[in-house]
Amino acid sequence: DHHVQKDIIAYSAMVSACGEVGQWTQAVQLLREMAVRHVQKNVVTYNAAVSACEKAGQWWPVLQLLYDMVEGHVERHTVTYNAAISTCEKAGEWSEAL
């Protein structure tokens, strides 16, 4: 449906914008809002949230997002894993990265 696709694009843009201005908590909250509004989350939206958390050095939310992607059967890309590994490395959480 065209309307649903527009919603996904709009949310992905908002999540990405939050990451650009350091608002990682708002980016994660937007993902929760998508679930409440029954808007399908995709790899682009998740990657934007992972990137927002990475920029803020928030390793635990990144791992939670990866878990949510697995549970929701959302495809993960190399970009997703690289951001997660980078976040854990920067936070000194090597065991989590492995």
Side-chain angles (χ1 to χ4, degrees):
D1 180 78
H2 185 66
H3 179 70
V4 171
Q5 185 63 26
K6 286 171 101 175
D7 287 345
I8 294 169
I9 292 169
Y11 270 105
S12 294
M14 288 187 292
V15 171
S16 182
C18 287
E20 292 300 318
V21 295
Q23 297 295 318
W24 70 272
T25 55
Q26 185 63 32
V28 172
Q29 182 59 37
L30 283 167
L31 285 181
R32 290 188 192 114
E33 184 178 310
M34 289 176 76
V36 170
R37 294 180 182 262
H38 305 288
V39 177
Q40 184 72 31
K41 295 173 270 190
N42 62 21
V43 67
V44 173
T45 310
Y46 272 108
N47 279 351
V50 166
S51 177
C53 293
E54 177 190 17
K55 288 175 185 172
Q58 298 295 320
W59 64 276
W60 180 248
V62 168
L63 296 182
Q64 194 61 49
L65 290 168
L66 280 175
Y67 177 80
D68 292 349
M69 290 176 82
V70 171
E71 288 294 304
H73 304 288
V74 176
E75 182 180 8
R76 279 99 41 220
H77 292 162
T78 304
V79 171
T80 314
Y81 289 117
N82 284 345
I85 291 166
S86 173
T87 305
C88 291
E89 183 267 327
K90 288 175 187 171
E93 296 292 337
W94 274 106
S95 63
E96 298 296 335
L98 301 175

